[in-house]
Amino acid sequence: MITVQEADFDGAALLAALREQAGAEAGAIVSFTGYVRDFAPDQATDTLFLEHYPGMCERELHEIADTARQRWNLAGTVIAHRVGALPRGAQIVFVAAASAHRGDAFRGCEYMIDALKTRAPFWKRETLAGGRSFWVEQREADDARTRSWDAGGTPRD
């Protein structure tokens, strides 16, 4: 299940849909929810505006979920990502993986959020409370985590 939408999402409903999708195969479900946070401890964020490349973005998210299901024994996956103007504290992204065992569910979920951050065509423009606005650049640490997954490893913080 992949969705890209402006409206907020209901994490509990997404978990319920994943549980139904996975059926009796699911002994574990791991989820991650990302929120709009302050840019830095001393710089409050007013809004985060997310743009995406429609069609291409959804295809990339499907590929990420497909790769996770191929690498780990996953019974189901969910990726929901918001676009548009989001205030500080708003939900941005929800990722979940269901599996017979927790290890596969944890790794699948972690892989999907790491790959999504570096591969999916989303662009973020942050506006601080003082009015300064800028495009958020991809962090080298995020890229390194994805490269580690691609090399067949498991990233270490």
Side-chain angles (χ1 to χ4, degrees), residues 52-120:
H52 75 299
Y53 189 120
M56 178 187 248
C57 186
E58 290 84 352
R59 278 192 303 277
E60 188 62 37
L61 295 177
H62 277 285
E63 282 187 30
I64 289 167
D66 289 346
T67 298
R69 285 191 298 273
Q70 290 166 11
R71 287 187 70 178
W72 297 281
N73 187 20
L74 302 181
T77 58
V78 172
I79 299 174
H81 206 296
R82 295 182 66 196
V83 294
L86 304 175
R88 182 179 54 238
Q91 299 181 117
I92 302 171
V93 61
F94 180 89
V95 175
S99 179
H101 304 285
R102 70 181 180 273
D104 283 343
F106 272 109
R107 284 186 293 280
C109 186
E110 186 177 16
Y111 166 79
M112 287 189 293
I113 192 64
D114 285 347
L116 180 152
K117 288 186 69 142
T118 58
R119 291 194 189 136

Side-chain angles (χ1 to χ4, degrees), residues 2-64:
I2 305 291
T3 61
V4 176
Q5 60 195 46
E6 287 190 27
D8 199 4
F9 52 80
D10 178 345
L14 292 170
L15 284 173
L18 178 57
R19 182 115 171 91
E20 185 175 319
Q21 173 190 3
E25 230 182 295
I29 294 178
V30 173
S31 67
F32 170 85
T33 305
Y35 299 88
V36 177
R37 60 177 168 72
D38 283 334
F39 173 68
D42 61 338
Q43 298 181 48
T45 295
D46 184 49
T47 57
L48 183 65
F49 187 82
L50 287 101
E51 292 186 25
H52 75 299
Y53 189 120
M56 178 187 248
C57 186
E58 290 84 352
R59 278 192 303 277
E60 188 62 37
L61 295 177
H62 277 285
E63 282 187 30
I64 289 167

